[in-house]
């Protein structure tokens, strides 16, 4: 009888494990396919914009904005390259223009902060739209937030005469390959990496859920989320965005939003916060290579993001319910 019971338990365990694996793979594919529907068209559009030379033209148009934050007008091309492409593109242009030899730590911190807040906009704005966030609001938040934070940093450092020494040159990129073959190879690597990260992330979250750690994370984040007016159920979205960023974590964010158990307001405030402050590990390390100040690009940016979303949350509480649709809509499951 013991052998029979043991065999039955073993069969049940194998069946449960197989079902869990199938559920996990299904979830991974759904998240990945949702992300690719957004990412691939956006990547093609950005490539066409690059080939047409529009990034350079747009960079010249925003030169006056860069002067207002204490930067040379040429840095407009750096910021535009990051906004239309990604941070790596912005870094490449930064070195191509010889910015590393011209700027102080304060100036590098300003342009780095602006790139950290507003970059990869074609992809990340499309992700926000898929979740239900207004297009115009996302652009205003990302670009406007980057400019306001850059202006605050510029005025603070110039008035207090902080970080006014030349920025250290910690890294020099290789000559960029602009061929189509290299572009296809790079994008292929990005897509494979996105799949691997989504698979690892979803598996990790499932393990945390089984171990009960997920509840602990929700408990620890609860005071901050309560201050911002965001429900605890949005904790996973916050964690994913802060660590992986919106591009790689975007598929998971869309999946969470479409399940319908998180309200439109919570999704909106979570995405607004992550729009200003995300990918704290990889992106921060990249900006440190440019010579940016750690306190500026991490702690000051996070404080700015928290204050901005706190104000936005209070604004939503003040607005009538029918006016809140200006900013977001509730995603359908």
């Amino acid at each position: 009888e013991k052998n029979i019971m043991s065999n039955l338990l073993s069969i049940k365990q194998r069946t449960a494990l197989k079902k869990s694996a199938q559920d996990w793979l299904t979830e991974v594919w759904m998240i990945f396919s949702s992300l690719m529907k957004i990412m691939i068209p956006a990547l093609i559009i950005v490539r066409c914009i690059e080939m047409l030379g529009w990034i350079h033209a747009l960079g010249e148009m925003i030169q006056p904005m860069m002067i207002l934050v204490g930067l040379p007008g040429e840095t407009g091309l750096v910021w535009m390259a990051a906004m239309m492409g990604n941070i790596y593109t912005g870094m490449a242009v930064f070195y191509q223009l010889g910015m590393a030899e011209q700027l102080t730590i304060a100036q590098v911190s300003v342009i780095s902060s602006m790139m950290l807040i507003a970059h990869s906009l074609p992809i990340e704005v499309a992700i926000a739209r898929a979740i239900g966030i207004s297009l115009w609001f996302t652009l205003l938040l990302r670009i406007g937030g980057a400019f306001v934070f850059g202006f605050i940093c510029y005025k603070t450092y110039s008035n207090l005469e902080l970080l006014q020494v030349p920025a250290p040159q910690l890294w020099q990129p290789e000559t960029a390959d602009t061929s189509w073959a290299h572009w296809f190879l790079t994008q292929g690597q990005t897509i494979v990496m996105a799949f691997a990260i989504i698979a690892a992330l979803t598996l990790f979250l499932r393990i945390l859920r089984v171990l009960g750690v997920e509840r602990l994370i929700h408990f620890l984040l609860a005071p901050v989320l309560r201050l911002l007016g965001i429900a605890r159920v949005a904790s996973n979205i916050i964690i994913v965005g802060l660590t992986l960023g919106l591009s790689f974590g975007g598929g998971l964010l869309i999946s969470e939003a479409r399940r319908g158990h998180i309200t439109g307001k919570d999704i909106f405030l979570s995405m607004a916060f992550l729009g200003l402050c995300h990918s704290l590990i990889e992106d921060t390390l990249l900006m440190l290579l440019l010579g940016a100040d750690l306190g500026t690009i991490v702690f000051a940016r996070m404080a700015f993001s928290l204050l901005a979303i706190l104000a936005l949350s209070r604004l939503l509480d003040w607005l009538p319910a029918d006016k809140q649709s200006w900013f977001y809509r509730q995603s359908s499951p």
Side-chain angles (χ1 to χ4, degrees):
E1 290 183 2
K2 289 183 179 180
N3 289 335
I4 294 173
M5 290 296 294
S6 177
N7 289 335
L8 287 174
L9 287 174
S10 179
I11 292 171
K12 286 183 179 180
Q13 288 172 348
R14 287 199 298 270
T15 303
L17 184 61
K18 182 178 179 181
K19 186 179 184 305
S20 296
Q22 290 174 340
D23 291 343
W24 169 59
L25 291 173
T26 301
E27 181 183 16
V28 170
W29 177 250
M30 288 178 63
I31 293 172
F32 177 74
S33 59
S34 296
L35 181 58
M36 288 305 103
K37 289 175 183 177
I38 295 171
M39 182 178 285
I40 291 176
L43 289 172
I44 294 172
I45 291 171
V46 170
R47 178 62 175 175
C48 292
I49 290 173
E50 290 176 352
M51 298 296 291
L52 291 170
W54 290 359
I55 291 179
H56 192 277
L58 292 170
E60 291 182 344
M61 288 176 58
I62 64 171
Q63 284 189 7
M65 290 180 62
M66 311 313 291
I67 295 172
L68 289 175
V69 294
L71 294 171
E74 296 89 337
T75 53
L77 181 56
V78 177
W79 190 27
M80 186 57 65
M83 284 194 286
M84 298 305 297
N86 53 43
I87 284 183
Y88 291 99
T89 308
M91 291 176 70
V93 174
F94 179 88
Y95 281 102
Q96 287 171 11
L97 295 176
M99 293 287 103
E101 302 170 359
Q102 302 178 29
L103 306 183
T104 64
I105 294 177
Q107 289 176 310
V108 172
S109 299
V110 169
I111 185 60
S112 295
S113 298
M114 294 173 72
M115 287 198 290
L116 287 170
I117 293 175
H119 64 265
S120 304
L121 292 185
I123 293 175
E124 295 183 355
V125 167
I127 289 171
R129 285 194 68 192
I131 292 174
I133 313 299
S134 164
L135 170 65
W136 70 264
F137 172 79
T138 303
L139 290 173
L140 179 63
L141 176 73
R142 300 289 294 273
I143 299 174
F147 178 77
V148 170
F149 183 64
F151 184 77
I152 292 172
C153 291
Y154 161 58
K155 286 298 183 181
T156 300
Y157 293 145
S158 60
N159 290 336
L160 299 178
E161 297 185 355
L162 297 174
L163 306 177
Q164 299 302 313
V165 297
Q169 298 184 43
L170 303 177
W171 177 70
Q172 186 70 36
E174 299 177 0
T175 303
D177 184 347
T178 59
S179 67
W180 277 100
H182 182 265
W183 183 81
F184 277 114
L185 177 61
T186 302
Q187 305 317 316
Q189 291 172 341
T190 300
I191 290 171
V192 171
M193 186 181 299
F195 182 85
I197 289 175
I198 290 169
L201 175 64
T202 52
L203 180 60
F204 182 62
L205 289 176
R206 283 170 175 261
I207 293 172
L208 291 183
R209 194 171 299 126
V210 171
L211 296 177
V213 178
E214 186 181 51
R215 288 194 297 272
L216 175 61
I217 293 172
H218 289 188
F219 174 78
L220 294 175
L221 282 178
V224 177
L225 297 180
R226 191 182 307 116
L227 176 67
L228 298 178
I230 303 174
R232 288 175 59 181
V233 291
S235 297
N236 284 346
I237 291 178
I238 299 293
I239 293 169
V240 170
L242 284 176
T243 53
L244 295 180
L246 294 179
S247 292
F248 285 147
L252 181 63
L253 302 182
I254 294 170
S255 176
E256 286 289 324
R258 288 178 175 172
R259 288 177 182 175
H261 63 272
I262 302 179
T263 67
K265 179 184 176 183
D266 290 329
I267 290 290
F268 170 72
L269 290 175
S270 300
M271 286 296 296
F273 174 67
L274 293 175
L276 298 174
C277 189
H278 61 269
S279 191
L280 289 179
I281 300 172
E282 179 186 5
D283 290 355
T284 297
L285 291 174
L286 293 175
M287 294 301 96
L288 289 176
L289 289 176
L290 294 186
D293 172 62
L294 178 65
T296 303
I297 61 177
V298 175
F299 302 111
R301 180 165 61 107
M302 185 171 286
F304 172 78
S305 303
L306 289 170
L307 290 173
I309 302 310
L310 181 60
L312 182 60
S313 176
R314 297 300 176 266
L315 173 63
L316 286 181
D317 291 338
W318 176 76
L319 282 176
D322 60 319
K323 298 297 189 294
Q324 293 183 13
S325 61
W326 294 347
F327 299 97
Y328 66 87
R329 58 175 168 76
Q330 176 66 60
S331 298
S332 303

